[in-house]
Amino acid sequence: MRARTREEGFTLIEVLVALAIIAVAMSAAVRVAGLMTQSSGVLRDRSVAMIAAQSRMAELRLEGRLPNGVKAVECDQGRLMLRCEQVIASAENGRLLKVGIQVFDRNQDAPPLARLETLLSRPGSPSP
């Protein structure tokens, strides 16, 4: 009679170790995908907030009157509930106005999503 030879193949322990390695790799991949999705949402919100700031700046230029001081207005963009805070003050030379706009999410108490600053000539003053 022939002697019995050991059968070839993987043991149960080897299969379990391989499955554990695959599970760790898959959980890392799912975590990275979740972080990427979250960061793309924040980037989208920041881009929309910058558009809101630019729109508010254009509105101020079109209004033609730029009173010094701080003012907050709602500047919603689609599903984003935003608040634009504008600060208008005289620049150092007195001929220009420093206009700053910050855009905040109205639903959260968080840092601004966007900031925009520029210098504008005073209404009624001659342009150079």
Side-chain angles (χ1 to χ4, degrees), residues 45-46 48-51 53 101-104 111-116:
D45 290 351
R46 287 182 177 271
V48 170
M50 184 54 80
I51 292 170
I101 297 176
Q102 293 186 350
V103 182
F104 297 89
L113 292 171
R115 288 187 177 137
L116 186 62

Side-chain angles (χ1 to χ4, degrees), residues 28-88:
V30 168
R31 180 178 165 93
V32 167
L35 289 174
M36 287 178 58
T37 301
Q38 182 182 8
S39 65
S40 71
V42 170
L43 181 60
R44 181 193 62 236
D45 290 351
R46 287 182 177 271
S47 297
V48 170
M50 184 54 80
I51 292 170
Q54 291 170 340
S55 296
R56 184 64 194 145
M57 188 69 74
E59 288 174 14
L60 288 173
R61 286 180 177 159
L62 289 172
E63 284 176 6
R65 54 183 175 78
L66 301 169
N68 285 4
V70 179
K71 182 178 178 183
V73 295
E74 293 178 1
C75 54
D76 300 339
Q77 297 289 316
R79 67 166 186 80
L80 275 180
M81 308 304 259
L82 301 175
R83 181 182 79 247
C84 292
E85 291 184 3
Q86 67 189 42
V87 177
I88 302 174

